[in-house]
Amino acid sequence: MQTVLACDLGGTSFRAALIDAGGVTIAEAARPTGIPVAPDGRSEADPEVWWQALIDCAGDLAAAAPEAFAAVAGIGICGITRSQVFLDAGGAPLGPAVTFRDSRAAAGLDGLRQRLPPDHPETGQVNAAHPVARLAALPPAVRDRLAAVVDPKDDLNRRLTGRVASDPVSLARLAAAAWPGPDGRSLLQAIGLPAGIVPDLLDPTAAVGPVIGGLPAPLDRLAGRPVFCLCNDTWAGVLGLGALRPGYAYDLSGTTEVLGLVDDRPLAAPGLMTVDWGGGLHQLGGPSDNGADTLAWLVDLLDQGEGDIGGALDRLLAGPRDPRPLLFLPYLQGERVPLWQPQLRGAFLGLDRRHGPADLAWALLEGVAFTNRMVLERAEAAAGRPVVEVRFGGGGAGSRVWAAIKADILGRPVVTAGIREPGLLGTAIAVWTGLGRHASLGAAQAALTGTGLRFDPDPARRTLYEPMFDLFRRSVDAVLPVSEALGRLRTPHRESAP
């Protein structure tokens, strides 16, 4: 029996599994790898933490299932994107990685855009999370020694194989910034950097190289096994959901929410990201900054944190609910898709003394779903047709209530995954395809993915949600200038209450 070592570097943890050729998980392991956010918007991570998490998870798997670990035929790692690891000429990191949560570049955007070629097709895509904005803000000590920019999973692949490479999906924005525009200049040239900082770009199912010798145990036992390039965690999750095909939408609910649709045509819509996902498929949508982590915040705030988040949510929702609904803007950390407003903050609207914990929980779940609808409406308008269904995966998909809310608010069938970790299964699917077990990713999806529960929209509840969604959209516009003004203020400091 052969297996693959599939890994998923997420925003809060590193997860790994041994998965056989039938898609069955033999053993799993995980390590926390939280990403902090400082008051000034700084969000950095030490690449050594990710490397140690890989070593530790591999050790757990080797101990739990030694025969399956010895039978590993290939390795794949998917992971967070919109996060940059800066490498020197020798391939070593030049300090901490800048993560997807870092918003410091927002302060210099106006000045940066004045330096960029206005007619370059990528200039309109530049925002606080764009690699060009991050690169323009690098300190000289890093900038002068910069040789390559990669995603976190690419740095792990480098440590395993000795080769610096990435894939064209994860590095789509950086690659586009290296292309010359109509005037012959690229965005990288405009900020004084060479196109050579873009590494070799490989298909996600292509091998980066074999595992080198001399690695820490138990990775040393995998020397010579191929490491496949893979892609970001969204791409892998969509593959694991079986939604990497035209006409389907996906919703991955983890630390943050990532929602989009897949089409066989390149599409564009305001506030959404368009990425060529290979094989003639294109993604339209993208990541938010708020998801199940927002729910964790509410659980902690209401002191309901005993046990798992799902159990705490059930206890909250079991309480009485007032007939007068609340609105919650779930933007505790700003927002990316579809608003691209790092200054935006959250708000409960309509509170009165009759509202209790259950009302807050319902409003939070609905607020995230309303943001999902903003994304899906724009994507479907660009596609000119509704999606067949929304495949729902990640930790949030474990809540039947949330799945039903999403179906009612989106007005589309929501189908949960038949597995708990679609990112790990999607990684395994890509590795097995790269090993030649399947003729294509489409064939591998057909053979290895399944579905769980189906939730169809309830017409009565959908009618009730329509006016709430209209108020939600209007509230976002109203709260933004208040958020920006509050962000410029600081609470007066006192050592103790008077």
Side-chain angles (χ1 to χ4, degrees):
M1 175 192 69
Q2 286 188 319
T3 64
V4 298
L5 173 57
C7 305
D8 184 348
L9 170 55
T12 56
S13 67
F14 186 96
R15 299 176 297 281
L18 297 172
I19 301 177
D20 71 15
V24 176
T25 297
I26 307 301
E28 287 186 61
R31 285 292 188 279
T33 55
I35 296 176
V37 182
D40 66 351
R42 179 188 302 269
S43 181
E44 296 177 334
D46 184 354
E48 292 294 331
V49 172
W50 297 329
W51 175 237
Q52 189 60 50
L54 170 57
I55 295 169
D56 291 344
C57 284
D60 291 347
L61 295 174
E67 293 183 1
F69 189 83
V72 166
I75 302 162
I77 306 172
C78 72
I80 55 173
T81 190
R82 289 268 169 162
S83 303
Q84 291 82 34
V85 182
F86 306 107
L87 304 178
D88 65 16
L94 288 164
V98 176
T99 83
F100 63 93
R101 286 180 166 169
D102 196 297
S103 61
R104 288 172 293 168
L109 277 180
D110 290 341
L112 172 61
R113 290 185 179 120
Q114 293 176 7
R115 297 164 55 190
L116 302 178
D119 54 355
H120 194 287
E122 187 66 14
T123 295
Q125 299 279 346
V126 175
N127 51 52
H130 196 285
V132 166
R134 304 266 178 82
L135 289 166
L138 284 178
V142 174
R143 184 187 184 92
D144 294 345
R145 299 172 57 201
L146 183 64
V149 180
V150 297
D151 261 22
K153 59 93 176 172
D154 302 320
D155 187 52
L156 294 176
N157 288 345
R158 173 193 65 82
R159 293 170 187 258
L160 288 170
T161 68
R163 182 182 180 186
V164 177
S166 188
D167 68 276
V169 179
S170 301
L171 259 58
R173 302 276 63 88
L174 182 64
W179 301 334
D183 66 354
R185 287 192 305 154
S186 72
L187 300 195
L188 292 183
Q189 285 177 304
I191 61 172
L193 290 172
I197 65 171
V198 181
D200 292 341
L201 300 181
L202 310 177
D203 186 89
T205 61
V208 178
V211 175
I212 60 177
L215 295 180
L219 297 177
D220 57 338
R221 291 154 55 184
L222 301 179
R225 318 290 172 88
V227 177
F228 291 87
C229 186
L230 261 293
C231 194
N232 59 58
D233 50 3
T234 298
W235 183 92
V238 174
L239 185 60
L241 289 174
L244 195 63
R245 45 184 170 161
Y248 282 74
Y250 62 86
D251 179 9
L252 290 164
S253 180
T255 304
T256 63
E257 291 261 325
V258 192
L259 188 141
L261 62 75
V262 179
D263 204 280
D264 52 10
R265 303 160 292 163
L267 305 171
L272 306 189
M273 297 170 57
T274 304
V275 182
D276 183 346
W277 271 13
L281 299 176
H282 304 265
Q283 180 264 177
L284 182 62
S288 76
D289 269 328
N290 305 277
D293 187 56
T294 311
L295 176 59
W297 162 81
L298 183 67
V299 167
D300 289 342
L301 186 69
L302 298 178
D303 197 24
Q304 297 282 330
E306 297 180 7
D308 64 287
I309 296 295
L313 175 62
D314 291 341
R315 290 193 296 273
L316 286 172
L317 296 177
R321 188 180 187 189
D322 193 83
R324 290 170 296 185
L326 288 175
L327 283 180
F328 177 60
L329 307 188
Y331 310 122
L332 302 185
Q333 302 176 102
E335 189 54 287
R336 289 182 288 174
V337 173
L339 303 172
W340 298 105
Q341 295 289 351
Q343 300 87 1
L344 185 61
R345 290 297 177 264
F348 280 104
L349 300 174
L351 273 172
D352 67 27
R353 292 179 65 90
R354 292 168 58 94
H355 290 126
D359 299 296
L360 302 185
W362 281 101
L364 188 150
L365 299 180
E366 291 162 350
V368 173
F370 285 140
T371 302
N372 295 156
R373 179 167 168 179
M374 293 169 68
V375 175
L376 186 60
E377 278 193 349
R378 297 184 191 192
E380 287 185 331
R385 60 192 180 196
V387 298
V388 175
E389 62 188 34
V390 179
R391 291 288 177 92
F392 187 25
S399 170
R400 295 190 178 194
V401 173
W402 210 352
I405 287 172
K406 286 174 182 278
D408 294 337
I409 288 177
L410 297 177
R412 303 287 179 266
V414 169
V415 179
T416 63
I419 53 167
R420 187 166 50 86
E421 296 285 358
L424 290 176
L425 178 60
T427 298
I429 287 172
V431 173
W432 283 121
T433 303
L435 288 167
R437 185 63 65 103
H438 301 279
S440 66
L441 290 175
Q445 283 183 95
L448 300 180
T449 65
T451 58
L453 302 175
R454 179 185 176 93
F455 298 82
D456 289 303
D458 180 277
R461 287 194 296 267
R462 179 158 171 74
T463 299
L464 293 173
Y465 277 130
E466 287 303 307
M468 289 179 63
F469 179 57
D470 179 61
L471 290 171
F472 181 88
R473 285 191 293 195
R474 290 160 56 188
S475 298
V476 172
D477 295 335
V479 166
L480 178 58
V482 178
S483 296
E484 292 173 333
L486 282 172
R488 294 189 290 269
L489 301 180
R490 291 296 178 266
T491 303
H493 177 71
R494 288 194 177 110
E495 293 296 334
S496 61

